[in-house]
């Protein structure tokens, strides 16, 4: 009798630590069945890695069970006690609880949405839709736009992604249950897309990744921190004090970018690598300067100085700036239709869209500024790059900074010529 009573107490204790029992629609996964049911299957799974003692995991149970009931027969919903089965958790990069991942066979991606039944269902159905379209050999419609440009940050990747990078970052520390965080989410995502290539936007679930939240003294949600570009020190981190709309966030970030980003170099096009570096930018400003025999070193340096000043003025745009001597890159001039107006000439090209716009006004600081200002506001005429591809670049020697020299005149020896002889 005592023996049975002890067993009953033991079962009661074990049951108190099990978040999902056998009657639940949540499938209990272990190292013995994970490979068979998940990675070797052809089904879509949403899987929670939890610890029985984790308060956030316990709070998640009702919503997760509700999602499992709704997805029954459509998408599998599972859970792993990653405290008991630590090797399995470590295999899939679990460093905090709860961690939720979506599996399609051996492929898996982190779940990054809100922790509600509706959000779980939406993510699971999207994964199922993507798989169905993949089986058709097509890409699911809307899948590219569904992907957020907000980067998920954790205690384990924060140093590598933010602190060790040269990029500028705005990082939101949030809590999944926070109403203000939910209201900010669409604005944060829109701002991340608009700032792509200029300032990176990240998000940390401070209820899970508490080490970084503690390090930066996060006491309320959402808390937003700005990390300046270059080597990160305590002085390069500051509080965000702007508004909470996407336009507020973008404006604030661009102001910081203008303060911190260095002026771009104005590079001579001497090989493919230089041009590719410029083409990788949002826009590439290409100038063709007169031949050195038509415009000496002082003249050329004056033009380059103008380009440098304007590069500094528009540095927050993250454009590329290059120049070439007239005639040195004929394919470049032809592709951007720069040979018909004399030199100097300028064109601004979007290499990704293969569109360009040509300066029609004067090649002066005022004229170029008006041209670039119109482009930055989306005004101005554009044309397709000739040949529908970026031109081939010839390898040339860089300018030595000196004036040009005419080739030496050839001495002609007239001593052997009989000028008196009548050849007629």
């Amino acid at each position: 009798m005592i023996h049975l009573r002890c067993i009953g107490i033991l079962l009661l204790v074990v049951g108190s630590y099990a978040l999902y029992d056998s009657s639940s629609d949540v499938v209990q996964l272990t190292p013995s069945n994970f490979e068979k049911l998940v990675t070797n299957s052809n089904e879509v799974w949403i899987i929670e890695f939890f610890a029985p003692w984790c308060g956030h995991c316990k709070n998640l149970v009702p919503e997760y069970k509700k999602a499992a009931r709704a997805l029954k027969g459509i998408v599998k919903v599972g859970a792993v006690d990653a405290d008991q089965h630590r090797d399995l958790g470590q295999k899939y990069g679990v460093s905090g609880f709860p961690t939720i991942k979506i599996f399609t066979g051996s492929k898996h991606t982190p779940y990054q949405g809100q922790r509600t039944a509706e959000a779980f269902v939406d993510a699971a159905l999207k994964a199922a839709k993507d798989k169905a379209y993949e089986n058709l050999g097509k890409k699911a419609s809307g899948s590219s736009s569904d992907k957020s440009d907000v980067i998920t940050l954790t205690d384990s990747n924060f140093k590598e992604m933010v602190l060790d990078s040269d990029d500028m970052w705005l990082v939101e520390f949030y809590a999944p249950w926070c109403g203000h965080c939910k209201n900010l989410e669409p604005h944060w995502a829109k701002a991340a897309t608009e700032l792509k290539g200029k300032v990176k936007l990240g998000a940390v679930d401070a209820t899970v990744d508490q080490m970084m939240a503690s390090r930066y003294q996060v006491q309320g949600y959402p808390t937003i921190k700005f990390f300046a570009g270059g080597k990160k020190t305590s002085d390069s981190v500051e509080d965000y004090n702007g508004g909470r709309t996407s336009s507020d966030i973008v404006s604030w970030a661009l102001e910081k970018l203008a303060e911190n980003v260095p002026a771009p170099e104005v590079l001579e096009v001497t090989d493919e690598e230089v041009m590719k570096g410029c083409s990788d930018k949002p826009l590439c400003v290409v100038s063709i300067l007169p031949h050195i025999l038509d415009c000496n070193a002082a003249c050329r340096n004056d033009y380059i100085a103008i380009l440098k000043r304007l590069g500094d003025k528009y540095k927050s745009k993250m454009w590329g700036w290059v120049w070439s001597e007239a005639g040195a890159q004929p394919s470049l001039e032809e592709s951007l239709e720069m040979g018909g107006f004399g030199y100097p000439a300028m064109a601004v090209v979007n290499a990704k869209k293969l569109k360009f716009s040509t300066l029609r006004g004067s090649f002066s600081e005022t004229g170029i500024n008006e041209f670039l200002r119109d482009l930055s506001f989306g005004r101005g005429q554009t044309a397709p790059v000739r040949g529908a591809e970026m031109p081939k670049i010839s390898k040339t020697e860089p300018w030595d900074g000196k004036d040009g020299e005419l080739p030496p005149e050839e001495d002609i020896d007239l001593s052997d010529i009989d000028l008196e002889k009548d050849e007629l």
Side-chain angles (χ1 to χ4, degrees):
M1 187 74 179
I2 295 174
H3 180 65
L4 291 174
R5 185 179 178 186
C6 291
I7 292 175
I9 293 172
L10 179 62
L11 290 173
L12 181 63
V13 171
V14 171
S16 68
Y17 278 92
L19 299 188
Y20 305 99
D21 56 38
S22 57
S23 64
S24 168
D25 293 309
V26 179
V27 180
Q28 298 181 59
L29 298 168
T30 66
S32 61
N33 67 7
F34 196 94
E35 189 172 327
K36 177 183 176 182
L37 295 180
V38 181
T39 56
N40 286 349
S41 78
N42 201 31
E43 296 182 283
V44 176
W45 284 80
I46 182 167
I47 298 174
E48 175 199 3
F49 294 82
F50 70 89
W53 44 261
C54 162
H56 297 296
C57 303
K58 294 176 184 177
N59 293 337
L60 182 66
V61 169
E63 293 295 308
Y64 201 62
K65 284 184 175 180
K66 190 189 298 184
R69 285 195 299 272
L71 290 166
K72 192 170 184 178
I74 305 170
V75 171
K76 298 283 189 180
V77 179
V80 175
D81 183 343
D83 187 51
Q84 180 182 357
H85 307 298
R86 294 183 181 181
D87 289 345
L88 188 57
Q90 290 174 357
K91 181 177 180 180
Y92 294 104
V94 175
S95 59
F97 304 115
T99 290
I100 301 168
K101 293 180 178 284
I102 296 177
F103 283 76
T104 304
S106 59
K107 298 179 185 176
H108 58 90
T109 56
Y111 170 79
Q112 300 175 349
Q114 299 295 325
R115 292 177 182 177
T116 64
E118 291 82 359
F120 293 140
V121 168
D122 287 343
L125 292 179
K126 179 185 178 301
K129 180 181 178 182
D130 289 346
K131 183 179 184 299
Y133 271 80
E134 185 179 328
N135 291 341
L136 288 173
K138 297 183 177 180
K139 187 176 181 181
S141 59
S143 60
S144 61
S145 61
D146 290 338
K147 185 178 179 182
S148 173
D149 290 310
V150 176
I151 299 169
T152 300
L153 299 169
T154 65
D155 287 341
S156 58
N157 71 5
F158 199 93
K159 182 176 184 296
E160 177 185 358
M161 298 288 289
V162 179
L163 302 181
D164 290 346
S165 79
D166 290 327
D167 300 310
M168 292 183 187
W169 282 82
L170 274 174
V171 178
E172 175 202 3
F173 294 84
Y174 72 94
W177 44 259
C178 161
H180 294 300
C181 303
K182 294 176 183 177
N183 292 336
L184 177 64
E185 186 177 8
H187 295 282
W188 198 246
K190 185 178 180 183
T193 300
E194 292 187 33
L195 290 166
K196 193 172 183 179
K198 299 175 182 177
V199 178
K200 291 186 175 180
L201 267 67
V204 177
D205 183 344
T207 65
V208 173
D209 298 287
Q210 298 178 5
M211 185 172 70
M212 286 297 112
S214 175
R215 177 174 178 176
Y216 294 107
Q217 300 177 339
V218 174
Q219 298 178 342
Y221 308 114
T223 291
I224 302 172
K225 300 281 184 178
F226 171 73
F227 294 79
K231 185 178 180 181
K232 306 294 190 293
T233 65
S234 58
D235 294 333
S236 61
V237 183
E238 62 180 275
D239 292 328
Y240 170 83
N241 55 12
R244 297 293 173 88
T245 67
S246 59
S247 59
D248 290 333
I249 296 164
V250 170
S251 296
W252 195 94
L254 290 179
E255 285 182 12
K256 285 295 179 185
L257 185 66
E259 292 174 10
N260 290 274
V261 71
E265 290 186 85
V266 180
L267 302 174
E268 183 181 4
V269 180
T270 55
D271 54 35
E272 287 280 2
E273 186 176 347
V274 173
M275 194 64 205
K276 183 180 184 306
C278 191
S279 299
D280 286 341
K281 303 291 186 180
L283 293 177
C284 177
V285 183
V286 181
S287 297
I288 304 298
L289 303 183
H291 193 282
I292 194 64
L293 294 177
D294 298 323
C295 171
N296 61 21
C299 166
R300 177 173 291 183
N301 282 325
D302 284 343
Y303 284 132
I304 293 174
I306 290 174
L307 298 177
K308 286 181 177 179
R309 287 195 296 271
L310 289 166
D312 183 60
K313 181 172 183 175
Y314 288 91
K315 64 182 180 179
S316 65
K317 302 292 184 182
M318 306 297 283
W319 295 341
W321 294 71
V322 295
W323 68 274
S324 179
E325 181 178 81
Q329 300 293 345
S331 296
L332 179 62
E333 293 185 43
E334 182 181 353
S335 296
L336 303 183
E337 300 179 6
M338 300 175 72
F341 303 98
Y343 304 106
M346 174 179 285
V348 176
V349 60
N350 184 323
K352 294 181 177 62
K353 295 182 179 179
L354 292 174
K355 297 277 189 180
F356 74 94
S357 184
T358 306
L359 171 67
R360 303 294 184 183
S362 66
F363 197 98
S364 63
E365 193 155 352
T366 300
I368 297 172
N369 180 56
E370 291 176 356
F371 170 58
L372 297 179
R373 185 185 60 201
D374 286 346
L375 286 180
S376 65
F377 285 114
R379 298 195 293 262
Q381 295 182 338
T382 61
V385 173
R386 283 191 180 182
E389 64 178 359
M390 291 300 290
K392 300 295 182 185
I393 300 299
S394 304
K395 191 171 181 62
T396 60
E397 290 296 320
W399 177 46
D400 60 8
K402 300 177 181 178
D403 288 331
E405 294 183 5
L406 290 169
E409 293 186 9
E410 195 174 323
D411 292 331
I412 301 175
D413 186 0
L414 301 178
S415 60
D416 294 334
I417 300 177
D418 187 355
L419 297 178
E420 297 180 356
K421 182 177 180 180
D422 185 2
E423 296 182 355
L424 298 177

